[in-house]
């Protein structure tokens, strides 16, 4: 599987400046499986910049994780579809803000599994290709207003159950 050119922070940051300066990003790679993480602070307000960014850097990511989507109960997911990716989302049950979404490249099969981390919006995805497991991805957003000790307890109970091929993306404000 060819994922395009080698990803470097310099390459990405030069293009990334088009998004809001407060937005944070990280890139993870593991055995040719690449994950881009963006803390969007409202994807609805930045969708056109997000699409432009991905078209300009011309890299194909295995998964794209967006924290702080600010989706409201997944009601607008069709609006946030991105060609070549399947979208999974966990929205805040009540109130505004928060949320996490994962775009999985459609070259992969993905299935969502149940995960419960108190005080967070979380997604656990088993990602495979041609019938074999490639990666387990845990994507989490924890709000600063939620109880940190409870979240850490739940996370510490969850992590040992994940397989060794797992990637964990946690965005937690203090």
């Amino acid at each position: 599987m060819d994922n395009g050119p080698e990803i470097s922070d310099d390459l990405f940051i030069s293009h990334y400046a088009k998004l809001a300066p407060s937005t944070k990003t990280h890139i993870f790679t593991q055995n040719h499986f690449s994950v881009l993480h963006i803390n969007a602070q409202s994807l609805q307000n930045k969708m056109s910049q997000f699409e432009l960014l991905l078209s300009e850097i011309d890299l194909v990511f295995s998964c794209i994780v967006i924290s702080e989507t600010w989706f409201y109960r997944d009601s607008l997911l069709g609006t946030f579809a991105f060609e070549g990716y399947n979208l999974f989302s966990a929205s805040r049950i009540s109130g505004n803000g928060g949320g996490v979404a994962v775009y999985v490249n459609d070259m992969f099969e993905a299935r969502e599994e149940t995960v419960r981390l108190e005080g967070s919006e979380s997604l656990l995805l088993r990602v495979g290709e041609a019938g074999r497991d490639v990666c387990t991805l845990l994507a989490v957003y924890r709000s600063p207003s939620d109880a940190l000790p409870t979240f850490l307890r739940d996370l510490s109970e969850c992590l040992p159950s994940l397989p060794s091929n797992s990637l964990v993306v946690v965005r937690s404000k203090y």
Side-chain angles (χ1 to χ4, degrees), residues 22-70:
S22 64
T23 307
K24 306 290 184 204
T25 186
H26 301 93
I27 298 172
F28 308 91
T29 59
Q30 175 178 307
N31 298 328
H32 302 287
F33 188 87
S34 58
V35 177
L36 167 67
H37 169 245
I38 297 175
N39 186 53
Q41 298 175 333
S42 182
L43 187 56
Q44 183 172 359
N45 295 333
K46 298 181 180 93
M47 191 64 183
S48 60
Q49 293 122 317
F50 173 61
E51 291 173 332
L52 180 62
L53 169 74
L54 291 179
S55 69
E56 285 185 351
I57 61 174
D58 195 30
L59 297 173
V60 178
F61 292 97
S62 307
C63 292
I64 301 169
V65 177
I66 311 286
S67 54
E68 287 197 85
T69 60
W70 296 12

Side-chain angles (χ1 to χ4, degrees), residues 30-160:
Q30 175 178 307
N31 298 328
H32 302 287
F33 188 87
S34 58
V35 177
L36 167 67
H37 169 245
I38 297 175
N39 186 53
Q41 298 175 333
S42 182
L43 187 56
Q44 183 172 359
N45 295 333
K46 298 181 180 93
M47 191 64 183
S48 60
Q49 293 122 317
F50 173 61
E51 291 173 332
L52 180 62
L53 169 74
L54 291 179
S55 69
E56 285 185 351
I57 61 174
D58 195 30
L59 297 173
V60 178
F61 292 97
S62 307
C63 292
I64 301 169
V65 177
I66 311 286
S67 54
E68 287 197 85
T69 60
W70 296 12
F71 294 167
Y72 179 71
R73 295 188 184 209
D74 301 332
S75 61
L76 301 173
L77 288 185
T79 307
F80 299 101
F82 193 72
E83 187 176 343
Y85 290 86
N86 296 308
L87 175 59
F88 298 83
S89 176
S91 298
R92 188 163 287 171
I93 294 171
S94 63
N96 295 325
V100 65
V102 177
Y103 291 86
V104 179
N105 190 300
D106 62 14
M107 75 173 75
F108 296 101
E109 304 124 19
R111 72 179 188 280
E112 187 174 347
E113 294 191 359
T114 303
V115 63
R116 176 91 172 118
L117 303 174
E118 187 69 34
S120 73
E121 292 85 47
S122 308
L123 285 171
L124 180 63
L125 300 174
R126 305 286 181 172
V127 181
E129 181 180 41
R132 67 174 182 85
D133 285 341
V134 174
C135 179
T136 296
L137 178 67
L138 175 62
V140 181
Y141 173 74
R142 187 198 75 82
S143 167
S145 62
D146 291 316
L148 183 59
T150 306
F151 168 75
L152 291 174
R153 181 201 67 219
D154 288 354
L155 183 61
S156 67
E157 290 173 3
C158 175
L159 292 176

